[in-house]
Amino acid sequence: MIEFPKDFFWGAATSAYQVEGNNTNSDWWEWESRVGLKQRCGQACRHYELYEHDFDLARALNHNAHRLSVEWSRIEPQQGQFSTDELQHYRNVILALKERGLEPVVTLHHFTNPVWFAKLGGFGNKKAAGYFLAFVEKVVSALCDKVRFWVTLNEPMVYIYHAYILGVWPPQEKSLFKAKAVADNLILAHTRAYQLIHGIYKKRNLPSPMVSIAKNTQAFKPCIVNVRNKFAAYLRHWLFNLEFLKKLIRGNSLDFIGVNYYSRSLVEARSWGIRGLLLDVCENNHSPLKKNSLGWDVYPQGLHELLRSLGRFKLPIFILENGICTDDDMFRWNFIYQHLACVNLAMREGVKVMGYLYWSLIDNFEWDKGFAPRFGLIDVDYNTYKRTIRESALKFSEVCKTGVLN
Ligand code: FCB
């Protein structure tokens, strides 16, 4: 029998742009229409209107926590103009979670920006942290009496990689120079937001908040085991999984480590140069592992190894995303089961993990991949917006209820 602590957080995650619909002031919305993205976000899952219903389902599935993001472009549609209606909307959303016994985990930036901010150069602008802070101040002041867990940034490195290195997300720049500037500004934005949030709670005599980022992580494994591949895998783990966190920890700006984990990357360094050591991956597709519908390897033991490795920081860890897109729902359950077993193993070995949030509560808009990937515990029919609970969600709900993985 595999048992979890009684106070463990169980639930699922979403992000505003991917589920709400009609975020017309966002840079993603503008970009989708400009480049003519094949499948546009549109109404997404209409979660903006249907959130109470979605939270009823989460409650029925025995979740006791839920991660969501607030959409900056709704709250501050024009620079310096804050919408009291939208702030009230998110307050209602948080209250709806609390009424159902779900602990809110609130992300402040999940890949999307207001159009006005993007026009000023987004996080490439030297003043970006200051702009972000004004928004953070409003949101946190409006919600602090109801929220304990804050995630300032979702996957900063994934954001930089797609938007400023690969150039496949807005603003589609391909510049290492720009990427470095954005990284520095994001770190500054986080650090200052961390201090600001703590300051607000102190001033109001509220119990200390828990503030972190959601860090994307991967298991880096050599494809063919040779010295170069092993070294490259080690280097990537160190650089991509640990370095960003280390910087924030050194600056005393993490209260816990937020972890997003999905898959493994098969390292095949074709040279000793930067490209070889940092970027080359196996392209032969000969990995025997099962894959999700986007072709990502399913590799649960990577989560165990990662948690062990993060254990060195002696901070509590909260798994903020782990999930699979698949049309085979038993495969989804198997994925959850195997990953939870790995989490539990790491915990028995002494790593402190506070909770596990599955990505995602409902099927949603998977960025440039559109609506085809089905990550949800709950199916969404995009014609009728009807929700249907999947079998895997029911099995997971038993674990949430009992804390036991059978
Ligand atoms: C993560 C993102 C999330 C979702 C999942 C599948 O990288 O944070 O928004 O797209 O991947």
Side-chain angles (χ1 to χ4, degrees), residues 15 23-24 74 85 94-95 162 183 247 278 293 307 316 337 359 381:
S15 89
N23 277 310
T24 55
R74 282 186 187 272
D85 286 356
I94 299 298
L95 290 174
H162 286 84
K247 270 212 171 95
L278 296 185
S293 63
L307 292 173
Y337 185 99
W359 182 273
D381 177 329

Side-chain angles (χ1 to χ4, degrees), residues 8-106:
F8 203 71
F9 288 116
W10 295 105
T14 58
S15 89
Y17 193 81
Q18 293 175 275
V19 294
E20 284 181 350
N22 295 322
N23 277 310
T24 55
N25 276 317
S26 150
D27 60 343
W28 260 82
W29 187 275
E30 188 274 327
W31 178 75
E32 286 172 23
S33 72
R34 183 157 41 85
V35 302
L37 198 70
K38 249 202 258 138
Q39 240 176 359
R40 298 188 49 194
C41 183
Q43 304 195 60
C45 312
R46 292 177 58 179
H47 177 76
Y48 188 84
E49 305 135 66
L50 299 175
Y51 68 91
E52 287 180 295
H53 175 56
D54 289 337
F55 297 162
D56 283 343
L57 297 178
R59 176 65 254 158
L61 291 169
N62 301 312
H63 296 187
N64 63 12
H66 181 75
R67 176 175 171 225
L68 77 161
S69 73
V70 289
E71 182 68 23
W72 184 1
S73 65
R74 282 186 187 272
I75 293 172
E76 192 180 3
Q78 299 296 332
Q79 185 175 13
Q81 288 178 18
F82 292 91
S83 160
T84 36
D85 286 356
E86 294 292 357
L87 284 167
Q88 186 58 47
H89 167 80
Y90 286 113
R91 194 167 167 86
N92 296 343
V93 169
I94 299 298
L95 290 174
L97 286 173
K98 303 278 282 192
E99 277 160 17
R100 290 162 180 80
L102 294 153
E103 178 78 37
V105 178
V106 181

Side-chain angles (χ1 to χ4, degrees), residues 18 110-111 154-155 260 262 296 321 359 366-367 375:
Q18 293 175 275
H110 198 124
F111 297 160
N154 182 66
E155 301 191 341
N260 293 1
Y262 288 87
W296 309 350
E321 286 181 31
W359 182 273
E366 180 51 26
W367 307 112
F375 276 97

Side-chain angles (χ1 to χ4, degrees), residues 168-192:
V168 293
W169 288 357
Q172 287 198 287
E173 292 189 35
K174 287 191 195 177
S175 153
L176 283 180
F177 178 74
K178 197 59 175 289
K180 168 77 173 74
V182 172
D184 290 345
N185 290 336
L186 284 169
I187 289 177
L188 187 66
H190 165 79
T191 319
R192 288 181 56 193

Side-chain angles (χ1 to χ4, degrees), residues 215 241-249 254 257 310:
K215 178 72 187 77
N241 289 336
L242 305 181
E243 197 43 37
F244 202 94
L245 288 173
K246 269 197 203 155
K247 270 212 171 95
L248 303 186
I249 292 168
L254 284 190
I257 298 177
L310 294 176

